[in-house]
Amino acid sequence: MAIPLILASASPARLATLRSAGVEPTVRASDVDEPAVVQRAETDLGRLDAEDVALLLAKAKCESVATAVAEDDSAPEGLIVGCDSVLALDGETLGKPADASDAVDRWRRMSGRTGVLHTGHWVIDDREDGTGATFGAVASTTVHFADLSAEEIDAYVATGEPLHVAGAFAIDGLGGAYVRGIEGDYHNVVGISLPLLREMLAEIDVVWHELLT
Ligand SMILES: Nc1nc2c(ncn2[C@@H]2O[C@H](COP(=O)(O)OP(=O)(O)OP(=O)(O)O)[C@@H](O)[C@H]2O)c(=O)[nH]1
């Protein structure tokens, strides 16, 4: 019997990535107000860098779902995993574009340049016989963007894909032609780093294949 995993994310890409690796999670999205969480933290701590933001939001989502699971007698016990992805470019932390105009502006800056896609991962061991551990980590992947003409940027944004993803690009989608290369974990760009998750679970003595259905 596989150890149950609860994915605290509405991301179809994270779900597909886990499924492709043989893990069938229970999806339970959080309703975290991400800008409010960041603003509150920066009021206390000052400006956060991209990795801090990704980890903070992954933690907030995971904890929100853990609270909901605790209040729901019908919810399965298991390992709760939350994630958040952001693109660091020129010292800025970029999530999903606000609108098409923002996506065009982003690509005008990304074209021919390099950014780093950080995905924060947070795990709460909510198993009945588990460790109760709650901890996080960030995986970072360097992304080299191709040189795009203004016409290519407009055409890509017009597809709508950039509007739904952090960094305004999907490496496994229509944006694949616009990524010249990466250094680091590919799935981390898509939204969840499988090797990092494997290492995190090893910290609580969970062996990866114990998750496989
Ligand atoms: N398919 C794909 N999705 C990407 C890529 N880069 C970022 N994303 C998605 O962009 C979204 C980043 O926004 P997040 O706030 O981390 O996650 P979300 O989709 O809002 O879902 P929650 O975890 O419920 O907040 C995630 O769904 C990522 O999977 C990519 O290269 N390919």
Side-chain angles (χ1 to χ4, degrees), residues 97-147:
D99 53 29
S101 168
D102 185 24
V104 169
D105 290 344
R106 294 265 194 96
W107 266 102
R108 284 188 182 139
R109 290 166 48 201
M110 290 156 58
S111 177
R113 312 276 306 288
T114 295
V116 182
L117 198 297
H118 300 289
T119 297
H121 300 66
W122 200 269
V123 172
I124 295 176
D125 184 355
D126 199 41
R127 294 175 294 171
E128 206 157 322
D129 58 347
T131 62
T134 174
F135 62 111
V138 178
S140 303
T141 306
T142 300
V143 182
H144 302 290
F145 298 105
D147 278 306

Side-chain angles (χ1 to χ4, degrees), residues 50-97:
E51 292 175 77
D52 293 334
V53 169
L55 194 58
L56 175 76
L57 291 176
K59 181 173 187 271
K61 296 177 195 180
C62 197
E63 289 179 339
S64 169
V65 168
T67 301
V69 163
E71 292 165 356
D72 176 357
D73 294 337
S74 65
E77 306 281 349
L79 300 166
I80 307 172
V81 177
C83 295
D84 189 78
S85 300
V86 294
L87 178 70
L89 184 77
D90 297 334
E92 269 197 84
T93 300
L94 303 171
K96 298 176 193 166

